[in-house]
Amino acid sequence: MLSVYNINVWYGAIQAIKGVSFEVNDGEIVALIGANGAGKSTTLKTLSGLLRSRTGSITFMDQDLMHMPAEKIVEHGLVHVPEGRRIFQQMTVEENLDMGAYTQAKDTIADNLERVYAQFPRLKERRRQIAGTLSGGEQQMLAMGRGLMANPKLLMLDEPSMGLAPILVEQIFEIIEALHKAGTTILLVEQNAQMALSIATRGYVLETGRVTLTGTGQELLRNDDVRKAYLGG
Amino acid sequence: MEVLTNLINGMSLGSVYAIIALGYTMVYGIAKMLNFAHGDVIMVGAYICFCSVSYLGLPAFAGVALSVVGCTLLGIIVERLAYKPLRNAPSLNVLITAIGVSYFLQNAALIIMGSDPKSFSSIISLPALSLFDGKLTISATAVLTIFACVVIMVALTMFTGKTKMGKAMRACSEDRDAAQLMGINVNSTISMVFAIGSGLAAIAGVLMCLAYPTLMPTTGSMPGIKAFTAAVLGGIGSIPGAALGGVLLGIIEIFARAYISTQLADAVVFGVLIVILLIRPAGLLGKPVNEKV
Ligand SMILES: Nc1ncnc2c1ncn2[C@@H]1O[C@H](COP(=O)(O)OP(=O)(O)O)[C@@H](O)[C@H]1O
Ligand SMILES: [Mg+2]
């Protein structure tokens, strides 16, 4: 479904991604794990068109994404829920969801809204509330709901559990599994490697801009290097 | 009754400031730049209206329409040529470019139209209205200006609150990257905001020249600065703030002229700005600035 081959991404003179290649197949949850600063967010931003790779190729469902503008990439169903939620703080919950469906036709929007409200009843209760006044967990739900409004074929989640209380982290991971069961393919970026790998079909370990390890979720969970570096022994 | 006349005149002048300030504030909101050439767009608008009526012999409303169309295009072109290439440049570079555009527009007007003032009243002039057996005289221009400002405010509020494009504009103003991830085309949204702001500036230009009918290449500078002040006073980036700031500024200016001194009026206006910013650094309706990490 998604195939990334040999991408190299720079911030000015600093190279953040060094020849990364990986794949996501239809129906998988693929986890991208790595320490802070490893290049996980940069990778996702490159896939969604906010940043550009100087080399290699990015192909999503037979479409070449290397030169496609970000707003077109969303239309093709590759949807990025960014790190730190990045909801529109001054807009209402429902306006945020509307923005998520910016590329969608009018009648799809109503259906999607119903689906998202069914998935996140909390958002429905707070639909008229200004998004900036939501709690952290609610903001994460809004960010994910907003992503779902775009009818993603592949949903990219960047650290959805960041800064949340353990009980909320559980809840977010349950939602990710539910979305996956409902047919959405997921590329999950997490620092919480334990949780991410335990629900992942496959995973990749990123270290200072390079993929250093890959395997199924279970294999990586059992791997000694992974255990030492990311699972606290 | 004199107080009432002054109040109406103040609101009218303030409405002009408000309409100009809307352009400043919307452009700042989305492009995070101070478009110091905005005031000169007013001047261009007034000249287009003047030329259409006095040289082409068109009716006044057609002159206004042409002026709006002309300035809208001007706004789009200036953004495309001067500001878009600097989208990721330091803000000082953009500011200097805006000042350059301002000089360019003033000097282009100087070359094309000459330095001698054109009298706007020779093409359009509205009667004065006499109320309460002549105890209160207000100009039709003042009424028209205030009315135009109210209509524009209502229209903009509906646009930003209810329409898809308007919401996209707010989304871009808040977070450009996130807006792009929604599928919003940020470049065309910025272009649209310049178009709206410049179209409004054309209307402001015509309204202002109805009240103060001397038109010169530098006509836009002072109102541009005052409107910028109004936008900051109301809270830069805030649409209701621009309206409030503009009207307040106009009223203060007229009252200062009437009761303090004509010469000191501008000093009073800027003095008020300084005092208010000392008390509320983000402006009257502005959100406190929180730097994004
Ligand atoms: N806007 C930026 N400008 C310069 N360097 C950046 C920028 N964003 C990230 N980096 C650098 O790129 C590297 C990868 O960052 P990032 O992709 O955010 O890592 P991760 O998401 O894995 O924590 C880091 O070394 C970081 O300092
Ligand atoms: Mg990150």
Side-chain angles (χ1 to χ4, degrees):
Chain A
M1 172 175 235
L2 173 73
S3 150
V4 178
Y5 175 70
N6 188 30
I7 56 169
N8 285 278
V9 184
W10 273 262
Y11 290 103
I14 303 163
Q15 185 171 9
I17 300 295
K18 300 161 185 162
V20 163
S21 306
F22 65 94
E23 278 185 13
V24 180
N25 300 312
D26 202 354
E28 285 186 313
I29 297 184
V30 172
L32 203 56
I33 61 169
N36 206 356
K40 306 180 297 294
S41 299
T42 305
T43 304
L44 293 200
K45 284 182 195 164
T46 310
L47 296 179
S48 57
L50 293 180
L51 295 171
R52 296 288 165 192
S53 170
R54 292 196 193 165
T55 60
S57 67
I58 304 172
T59 318
F60 176 67
M61 300 181 74
D62 300 328
Q63 298 277 337
D64 172 18
L65 301 191
M66 286 293 282
H67 308 286
M68 195 183 280
E71 63 268 14
K72 287 276 176 292
I73 291 177
V74 192
E75 277 179 40
H76 284 96
L78 181 57
V79 175
H80 179 179
V81 177
E83 181 179 336
R85 340 226 195 278
R86 303 288 284 269
I87 54 167
F88 303 114
Q89 306 264 337
Q90 292 168 35
M91 299 174 99
T92 65
V93 167
E94 193 150 306
E95 281 174 336
N96 267 276
L97 294 174
D98 275 348
M99 286 297 100
Y102 192 79
T103 54
Q104 304 298 309
K106 252 211 166 99
D107 37 340
T108 351
I109 297 180
D111 290 349
N112 289 3
L113 197 61
E114 222 166 280
R115 211 153 28 84
V116 168
Y117 280 152
Q119 178 75 250
F120 303 100
R122 203 46 178 274
L123 294 183
K124 187 169 190 178
E125 285 165 31
R126 311 202 164 223
R127 59 207 281 186
R128 308 244 172 273
Q129 193 168 324
I130 299 294
T133 63
L134 295 176
S135 72
E138 289 163 350
Q139 292 197 11
Q140 184 57 50
M141 288 177 194
L142 178 56
M144 289 170 67
R146 188 179 65 173
L148 291 174
M149 291 296 291
N151 275 342
K153 297 195 175 83
L154 170 54
L155 185 64
M156 305 192 288
L157 299 169
D158 195 344
E159 307 219 19
S161 74
M162 189 168 66
L164 298 184
I167 175 121
L168 285 171
V169 174
E170 296 263 354
Q171 209 179 331
I172 293 288
F173 273 89
E174 275 163 24
I175 291 167
I176 295 171
E177 286 196 280
L179 292 175
H180 177 240
K181 281 216 182 70
T184 313
T185 308
I186 290 167
L187 176 57
L188 176 62
V189 161
E190 262 299 338
Q191 281 199 52
N192 191 335
Q194 171 77 49
M195 298 275 288
L197 290 175
S198 63
I199 64 165
T201 331
R202 291 186 305 112
Y204 292 86
V205 178
L206 209 57
E207 273 174 49
T208 56
R210 290 196 172 85
V211 172
T212 52
L213 209 59
T214 175
T216 66
Q218 293 308 315
E219 280 166 7
L220 291 177
L221 272 177
R222 286 193 302 265
N223 182 290
D224 283 343
D225 294 338
V226 173
R227 295 178 71 90
K228 262 198 216 98
Y230 307 107
L231 304 174
Chain B
M1 281 304 172
E2 191 191 300
V3 174
L4 204 55
T5 309
N6 281 330
L7 184 66
I8 289 168
N9 286 340
M11 282 170 64
S12 162
L13 178 62
S15 295
V16 171
Y17 292 157
I19 298 171
I20 307 168
L22 284 171
Y24 260 116
T25 227
M26 285 167 63
V27 162
Y28 178 83
I30 196 159
K32 303 290 177 273
M33 66 163 289
L34 295 172
N35 179 16
F36 271 111
H38 190 58
D40 301 294
V41 179
I42 306 164
M43 170 275 295
V44 173
Y47 270 120
I48 294 178
C49 183
F50 179 85
C51 293
S52 330
V53 176
S54 76
Y55 302 152
L56 303 178
L58 297 174
F61 72 86
V64 177
L66 266 184
S67 140
V68 170
V69 172
C71 285
T72 302
L73 289 177
L74 178 68
I76 294 173
I77 293 169
V78 164
E79 194 278 328
R80 180 72 192 75
L81 295 183
Y83 304 141
K84 191 179 167 204
L86 300 176
R87 193 68 38 92
N88 297 314
S91 54
L92 189 60
N93 301 22
V94 186
L95 189 67
I96 292 168
T97 306
I99 293 170
V101 172
S102 166
Y103 279 123
F104 173 81
L105 291 177
Q106 286 184 22
N107 285 289
L110 190 63
I111 293 168
I112 299 169
M113 300 304 300
S115 58
D116 56 315
K118 306 275 185 266
S119 167
F120 219 74
S121 47
S122 64
I123 60 158
I124 312 173
S125 89
L126 300 177
L129 308 174
S130 191
L131 302 174
F132 308 117
D133 301 328
K135 285 201 201 92
L136 176 67
T137 327
I138 52 175
S139 70
T141 302
V143 176
L144 177 69
T145 306
I146 295 167
F147 178 71
C149 181
V150 170
V151 170
I152 287 169
M153 270 310 293
V154 171
L156 267 187
T157 306
M158 304 225 312
F159 173 71
T160 54
K162 301 267 179 270
T163 68
K164 191 171 170 177
M165 274 171 100
K167 287 183 202 172
M169 185 191 110
R170 281 159 59 210
C172 286
S173 301
E174 260 201 65
D175 189 332
R176 216 184 271 173
D177 280 352
Q180 254 187 308
L181 292 181
M182 304 297 109
I184 297 168
N185 185 330
V186 171
N187 282 330
S188 56
T189 309
I190 291 179
S191 187
M192 175 194 76
V193 170
F194 270 86
I196 295 175
S198 305
L200 292 180
I203 295 174
V206 173
L207 289 170
M208 190 183 66
C209 286
L210 287 177
Y212 304 86
T214 318
L215 177 55
M216 290 189 296
T218 51
T219 290
S221 314
M222 204 53 186
I225 292 173
K226 297 263 183 65
F228 166 63
T229 309
V232 173
L233 181 67
I236 189 110
S238 155
I239 289 178
L244 178 68
V247 172
L248 269 182
L249 211 68
I251 294 173
I252 294 168
E253 181 176 336
I254 294 290
F255 274 77
R257 260 193 226 160
Y259 301 109
I260 300 174
S261 127
T262 321
Q263 276 91 36
L264 281 181
D266 286 349
V268 171
V269 165
F270 292 114
V272 167
L273 172 77
I274 291 168
V275 170
I276 291 185
L277 288 187
L278 282 175
I279 303 167
R280 287 189 61 95
L284 293 172
L285 303 182
K287 300 257 177 341
V289 192
N290 45 357
E291 286 290 321
K292 263 194 221 99
V293 189

